[in-house]
């Protein structure tokens, strides 16, 4: 596909998303009129956008006759439009610091850590240390940190995060990283957790080493249950 054709297609799909954002749910015919193209052409773009998870369709009764298919943005599609979450969070931290100083910042991060700890623990219940490290990597990836993990030996694991979802906040507020490390130590309480690499310090990733604490029980391999004897 030639570059100008590809750019035209992407421009049309961007325009469809903008129309759905501004005007709300629209039919393929309504979109084709807005775009000044055939209904078949509009449907081709709609199919691609729906496949990418950016829009969805449902039936809606509009006057007399059969219900129509109308298209609307999904949450994923809505998120492509500009957001100012980092700027808002930054200004809120500045306001909190002005009102209560560093102690207020500490209390805020402590409360957040308690909330997140409860969420993490709910997903890690009844798991071994290795299973919890694996689950932690999964949770962090879901939160945008692009995490992976590795077993170094039966007592040592490493968790790497290749993206920082709170980078702007972390640069402004050292407590963000400190309480993140504290969070890991709480949910992996039978391990010694240390941060070996830190993006804020110029490393390409954040890397954490989890070593099983001395005296912590090493789980034995589970054996399959024995078949019951029959008389």
């Amino acid at each position: 596909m030639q570059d100008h054709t590809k750019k035209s297609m992407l421009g049309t799909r961007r325009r469809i998303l903008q129309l759905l954002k501004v005007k709300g749910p629209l039919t393929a015919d309504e979109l084709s009129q807005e775009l000044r193209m055939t209904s078949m052409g509009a449907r081709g773009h709609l199919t691609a956008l729906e496949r990418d998870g950016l829009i969805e369709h449902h039936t809606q009764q509009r006057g007399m006759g059969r219900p129509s298919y109308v298209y609307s943005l999904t949450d994923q599609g809505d998120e492509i439009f500009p957001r100012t979450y980092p700027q808002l969070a930054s200004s809120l931290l500045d306001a909190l610091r002005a009102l209560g100083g560093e102690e207020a910042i500490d209390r805020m991060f402590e409360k957040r850590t308690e909330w997140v700890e409860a969420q993490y623990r709910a997903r890690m219940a009844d798991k071994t240390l290795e299973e919890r490290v694996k689950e932690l990597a999964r949770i962090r990836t879901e939160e945008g940190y692009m995490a992976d993990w590795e077993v170094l030996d039966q007592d040592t694991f490493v968790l790497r995060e290749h993206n920082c979802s709170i980078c702007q906040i972390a640069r402004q507020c050292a407590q963000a990283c400190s309480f993140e490390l504290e969070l890991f130590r709480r949910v992996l309480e039978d391990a010694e957790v240390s941060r070996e690499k830190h993006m804020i310090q110029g490393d390409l990733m954040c890397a954490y080493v989890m070593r099983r604490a001395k005296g912590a029980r090493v789980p034995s391999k589970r054996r399959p249950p024995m078949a019951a004897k029959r008389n």
Side-chain angles (χ1 to χ4, degrees), residues 105-140:
I105 299 290
D106 288 342
R107 290 202 305 270
M108 184 271 292
F109 274 106
E110 172 60 36
K111 179 55 66 176
R112 178 187 180 276
T113 300
E114 291 176 2
W115 292 339
V116 177
E117 179 187 355
Q119 295 169 9
Y120 283 21
R121 284 189 181 278
R123 291 182 56 170
M124 295 180 179
D126 301 321
K127 295 183 184 295
T128 65
L129 176 58
E130 179 176 341
E131 291 168 342
R132 277 178 285 139
V133 173
K134 179 180 180 180
E135 185 64 24
L136 180 59
R138 182 180 292 115
I139 293 170
R140 300 293 284 181

Side-chain angles (χ1 to χ4, degrees), residues 7-215:
K7 289 179 180 178
S8 177
M9 289 176 60
L10 294 175
T12 300
R13 291 170 191 173
R14 178 77 185 188
R15 177 63 178 151
I16 289 173
L17 296 174
Q18 290 172 337
L19 286 167
L20 295 177
K21 178 70 172 175
V22 173
K23 295 179 176 292
L26 295 170
T27 66
D29 288 339
E30 290 169 338
L31 283 164
S32 68
Q33 292 173 15
E34 292 281 352
L35 298 167
R36 297 182 180 179
M37 63 168 44
T38 65
S39 294
M40 183 177 295
R43 286 190 174 89
H45 291 294
L46 291 168
T47 298
L49 289 169
E50 193 162 20
R51 182 189 61 229
D52 292 340
L54 300 176
I55 66 172
E56 60 189 0
H57 74 271
H58 60 277
T59 57
Q60 186 179 92
Q61 187 68 48
R62 294 190 170 189
M64 302 295 291
R66 298 172 59 185
S68 302
Y69 281 122
V70 294
Y71 294 84
S72 58
L73 295 174
T74 61
D75 290 342
Q76 181 181 342
D78 194 55
E79 282 296 321
I80 71 169
F81 293 94
R83 296 288 190 269
T84 59
Y85 301 144
Q87 295 90 328
L88 174 61
S90 178
S91 63
L92 288 174
L93 279 175
D94 286 340
L96 185 60
R97 183 177 282 114
L99 290 170
E102 294 302 319
E103 183 180 351
I105 299 290
D106 288 342
R107 290 202 305 270
M108 184 271 292
F109 274 106
E110 172 60 36
K111 179 55 66 176
R112 178 187 180 276
T113 300
E114 291 176 2
W115 292 339
V116 177
E117 179 187 355
Q119 295 169 9
Y120 283 21
R121 284 189 181 278
R123 291 182 56 170
M124 295 180 179
D126 301 321
K127 295 183 184 295
T128 65
L129 176 58
E130 179 176 341
E131 291 168 342
R132 277 178 285 139
V133 173
K134 179 180 180 180
E135 185 64 24
L136 180 59
R138 182 180 292 115
I139 293 170
R140 300 293 284 181
T141 293
E142 291 171 4
E143 294 176 351
Y145 289 88
M146 296 175 62
D148 59 46
W149 71 291
E150 181 182 355
V151 179
L152 299 184
D153 58 50
Q154 71 169 358
D155 293 321
T156 312
F157 312 90
V158 61
L159 173 75
R160 305 181 191 89
E161 295 180 342
H162 302 276
N163 182 58
C164 180
S165 296
I166 58 168
C167 192
Q168 184 169 329
I169 299 302
R171 288 196 179 100
Q172 177 186 356
C173 186
Q175 289 95 325
C177 294
S178 298
F179 276 93
E180 197 161 77
L181 178 58
E182 174 63 19
L183 171 65
F184 292 174
R185 287 171 173 166
R186 291 185 187 184
V187 297
L188 303 173
E189 67 272 18
D190 52 346
E192 298 171 355
V193 182
S194 61
R195 183 189 285 121
E196 303 297 324
K197 293 182 182 295
H198 197 188
M199 277 188 274
I200 295 299
Q201 300 298 325
D203 293 318
L204 291 176
M205 69 183 78
C206 287
Y208 301 85
V209 173
M210 292 86 169
R211 295 183 178 88
R212 194 183 310 276
K214 293 181 180 179

